[in-house]
Amino acid sequence: MNLDDFSKDSCNCNFIKESVCKIDKMQKEVVSDTNKCVSCETSLFASMYNTIPVSFYTCCGNQVTANISTTTTTTPYFRIESIRCNRFVTLNLLQQSSETTPTLTATNYTMILDLDCVGSMQCYEPINVEICTQSQSTT
C-alpha cells in the first residue's frame, strides 16, 4: 500500500467527517423540503427543526470557540453550512440568547474549520433557526 492509498482509506474511515457530512445533508434536505407543498410524500413535521447544533474539540481536547463579532463574546456552538474538499467546513456561529433560558440563535458570522484538526465533536438536540436559503428580492 502506498501513501496515497493510505490517505484515501483514512479519509473514508474518518467518522467525524462522515458525521459532519451526514448532518450537512440532513439540514439541506430539510431546508429544501420547506419549499415543497404538503402532500402524502412529504411530512408536516419535516421542517420542524433545521439545525443540529454541534461543538468541536481539538485532538488535544480543547474546545473550539469563535468570537462573535468584534466583541469578547465567544461561542462553542455551530451550525454546519457547507463542506469543501472533504476537509474544510464552513460553520455558522450560534449564540446563546440568555443563561437563564438557554436557547441558541443564528448569528451573521461564520468561520471555517479544518476537520483534520478535530479530535471529537458533540451533537445537541435539533433546533429551528432562521437561516437564509436564497437571495431575497424586493418587488
Side-chain angles (χ1 to χ4, degrees), residues 8-47:
K8 290 176 188 173
D9 288 343
S10 62
C11 285
N12 291 335
C13 295
N14 188 317
F15 297 118
I16 293 173
K17 290 179 184 177
E18 272 183 36
S19 298
V20 168
C21 289
K22 286 179 185 178
I23 291 170
D24 181 52
K25 182 180 176 188
M26 287 188 305
Q27 290 178 164
K28 285 182 173 141
E29 287 173 353
V30 169
V31 170
S32 68
D33 282 347
T34 59
N35 297 329
K36 296 179 182 176
C37 297
V38 176
S39 67
C40 294
E41 290 81 32
T42 61
S43 169
L44 288 170
F45 302 105
S47 62

Side-chain angles (χ1 to χ4, degrees), residues 121-133:
M121 72 181 267
Q122 181 175 356
C123 301
Y124 300 94
E125 290 290 321
I127 62 173
N128 194 37
V129 297
E130 186 176 327
I131 55 173
C132 180
T133 58

Side-chain angles (χ1 to χ4, degrees), residues 2 4 17 21 32 52 75-76 89 92 94 97 101 104-105 130:
N2 67 29
D4 290 332
K17 290 179 184 177
C21 289
S32 68
I52 298 174
T75 184
V89 60
N92 178 256
L94 301 176
S97 58
T101 56
L104 296 174
T105 57
E130 186 176 327

Side-chain angles (χ1 to χ4, degrees), residues 16-118:
I16 293 173
K17 290 179 184 177
E18 272 183 36
S19 298
V20 168
C21 289
K22 286 179 185 178
I23 291 170
D24 181 52
K25 182 180 176 188
M26 287 188 305
Q27 290 178 164
K28 285 182 173 141
E29 287 173 353
V30 169
V31 170
S32 68
D33 282 347
T34 59
N35 297 329
K36 296 179 182 176
C37 297
V38 176
S39 67
C40 294
E41 290 81 32
T42 61
S43 169
L44 288 170
F45 302 105
S47 62
M48 186 174 192
Y49 302 113
N50 64 4
T51 300
I52 298 174
V54 294
S55 290
F56 295 97
Y57 297 84
T58 65
C59 293
C60 298
N62 298 323
Q63 189 171 42
V64 175
T65 60
N67 289 338
I68 299 175
S69 182
T70 57
T71 66
T72 58
T73 305
T74 61
T75 184
Y77 305 109
F78 307 99
R79 180 185 195 281
I80 297 165
E81 292 296 326
S82 66
I83 302 158
R84 298 286 183 254
C85 303
N86 195 34
R87 179 177 170 186
F88 302 103
V89 60
T90 301
L91 302 168
N92 178 256
L93 281 57
L94 301 176
Q95 183 174 19
Q96 224 174 2
S97 58
S98 75
E99 291 182 25
T100 54
T101 56
T103 57
L104 296 174
T105 57
T107 68
N108 293 327
Y109 301 98
T110 59
M111 71 174 279
I112 298 172
L113 179 67
D114 183 348
L115 290 175
D116 285 349
C117 300
V118 173

